[in-house]
Amino acid sequence: MKIVMAHGSGGNATRELIKDLFHKYLANDYLDKMEDSAILPVSEYPLAMTTDSFVVTPLEFPGGDIGKLAVCGTVNDLWMAGAEPQYLTAGFILEEGLDMDLLDRVVASLSRTAKEAGIKIVAGDTKVVQGNGGLYINTAGLGFRKSGRNIGTDVIREGDALIVSGDLGNHHACIMSQRMEIINSIQSDCANLGPMVEDLLQAGIEVRAMRDITRGGLGTVLNEIAEASNHAVEIEEKRIPVDPEVKSFCDILGLDPLYMANEGKFLCITAQEHAERALNILKQNSLGTKARLIGSVAETGRPLVTVKTRLGGKRVIDVLYGEGLPRIC
């Protein structure tokens, strides 16, 4: 069965789509009221809010799908601000001709990932447009940042340590392989970063700032950090973790893992005296076994990113120019 324009008409077909599919997976006390807005309890903590849109193709890929990606991408943005995700909205834009079984799997995956992340889906919307069977998801996420968590680029200090949570480039290489029909075993790293962040915060690690390493890759994230904090940052090429199969993939196609997107990795900036303990905490999590200390924050007043190469030289890392691959998240 396929999605047709009638599924977005607001009539019986729409009601059946909501009842038979979306309600089956997403039902909860907030959604079941079917009000125009969800009424949420007030918190004593500062509110964090984010929004994102997910337009990846293919819709299903090794290691994930657009539903899992939508939840992980949203909760990770909240965690990077030190906020615990609480509520999520999800707007589905369905192209006519979308396979109903595929939509069922995506919504089931979205529901399962949201439950694992401990976030409630409190509002949603569905639109059907003409097209070729595509699917797009827009989300908004709300979370609360508990008192005592002062996380942001404004508290970065000279000498702070830069840690990445694992191998770079897996999501980018996975999606690119699928689009180019290249056979390999590379899987997307799409994952909820919450447990690793929570472990760091609960252990009292002095986390200065965090960024999930998505579009533009580590190179772009480091430049954003440098510009926002007005500090120079220095990393070492030999310390940057890259899966051997991803590295081979990059070598063949001339890609630089520094600019490749990830959906389950983050950069953590900590006080230097907490770096070793932070690294050990990350490595105890199955998602962080390959975490590495890759460099440090250098002098102030000079927003510049440099990398010490394997040959002992030094080169400047600029932001990504152009777009490496469309519809990657």
Side-chain angles (χ1 to χ4, degrees):
M1 185 176 177
K2 306 287 186 182
I3 289 290
V4 297
M5 294 300 290
H7 284 117
S9 68
N12 284 335
T14 302
R15 291 173 61 86
E16 289 175 0
L17 179 67
I18 293 173
K19 178 183 176 183
D20 297 340
L21 197 156
F22 288 104
H23 186 268
K24 180 172 65 174
Y25 293 112
L26 306 182
N28 59 51
D29 292 342
Y30 294 103
L31 273 180
D32 290 350
K33 292 180 180 178
M34 298 293 285
E35 301 283 0
D36 284 345
S37 297
I39 305 301
L40 307 174
V42 176
S43 169
E44 61 182 296
Y45 301 117
L47 178 69
M49 183 173 184
T50 187
T51 185
D52 210 337
S53 297
F54 300 88
V55 296
V56 67
T57 51
L59 298 174
E60 296 177 297
F61 47 83
D65 56 71
I66 192 173
K68 179 180 180 181
L69 189 65
V71 174
C72 290
T74 308
V75 300
N76 288 345
D77 282 347
L78 293 170
W79 278 115
M80 293 303 102
E84 297 180 16
Q86 300 292 319
Y87 304 111
L88 181 79
T89 71
F92 293 81
I93 298 176
L94 317 177
E95 285 187 355
E96 191 176 28
L98 174 65
D99 186 88
M100 193 70 84
D101 289 337
L102 171 57
L103 178 61
D104 189 287
R105 293 195 298 274
V106 166
V107 177
S109 175
L110 182 142
S111 172
R112 183 170 56 253
T113 308
K115 288 175 182 173
E116 291 171 353
I119 191 168
K120 287 184 171 61
I121 299 170
V122 297
D125 183 48
T126 304
K127 293 289 187 297
V128 178
V129 298
Q130 292 181 333
N132 298 301
L135 165 62
Y136 315 98
I137 301 176
N138 173 261
T139 62
L142 294 177
F144 301 122
R145 187 157 79 171
K146 293 184 176 179
S147 57
R149 294 180 178 178
N150 187 18
I151 297 172
T153 54
D154 56 327
V155 296
I156 290 174
R157 300 287 182 268
E158 184 175 344
D160 285 348
L162 307 175
I163 297 173
V164 294
S165 64
D167 288 332
L168 301 182
N170 289 64
H171 180 71
H172 197 140
C174 171
I175 298 300
M176 200 165 185
S177 297
Q178 294 296 304
R179 290 171 63 88
M180 298 176 70
E181 299 183 350
I182 297 175
I183 299 175
N184 55 42
S185 61
I186 297 173
Q187 293 207 354
S188 167
D189 58 354
C190 181
N192 168 26
L193 297 170
M196 281 194 289
V197 174
E198 188 64 14
D199 286 347
L200 292 174
L201 298 177
Q202 290 291 339
I205 297 297
E206 196 169 326
V207 176
R208 307 283 203 210
M210 293 179 285
R211 290 287 177 89
D212 52 344
I213 308 170
T214 53
R215 282 185 304 170
L218 180 64
T220 299
V221 166
L222 288 173
N223 273 278
E224 292 173 353
I225 294 287
E227 290 179 12
S229 67
N230 202 29
H231 282 73
V233 297
E234 297 176 350
I235 62 173
E236 292 188 45
E237 187 177 27
K238 66 180 181 182
R239 292 176 178 265
I240 298 170
V242 181
D243 179 86
E245 191 169 9
V246 172
K247 185 177 184 307
S248 297
F249 181 84
C250 292
D251 289 344
I252 292 171
L253 296 180
L255 300 172
D256 188 344
L258 272 178
Y259 294 106
M260 294 178 71
N262 314 267
E263 289 295 341
K265 303 292 172 5
F266 73 111
L267 172 72
C268 177
I269 303 177
T270 72
Q272 189 66 240
E273 60 268 29
H274 288 197
E276 197 61 37
R277 194 156 65 93
L279 203 56
N280 290 333
I281 290 170
L282 291 175
K283 288 185 174 181
Q284 291 174 20
N285 189 294
S286 60
L287 297 176
T289 56
K290 296 183 179 179
R292 293 275 188 87
L293 176 64
I294 62 166
S296 61
V297 177
E299 59 192 273
T300 60
R302 191 178 180 215
L304 181 69
V305 180
T306 57
V307 57
K308 182 179 179 182
T309 67
R310 296 179 186 277
L311 298 177
K314 186 179 284 189
R315 67 181 172 93
V316 174
I317 300 177
D318 209 342
V319 297
L320 174 66
Y321 181 78
E323 176 58 86
L325 183 70
R327 296 187 179 181
I328 201 167
C329 62

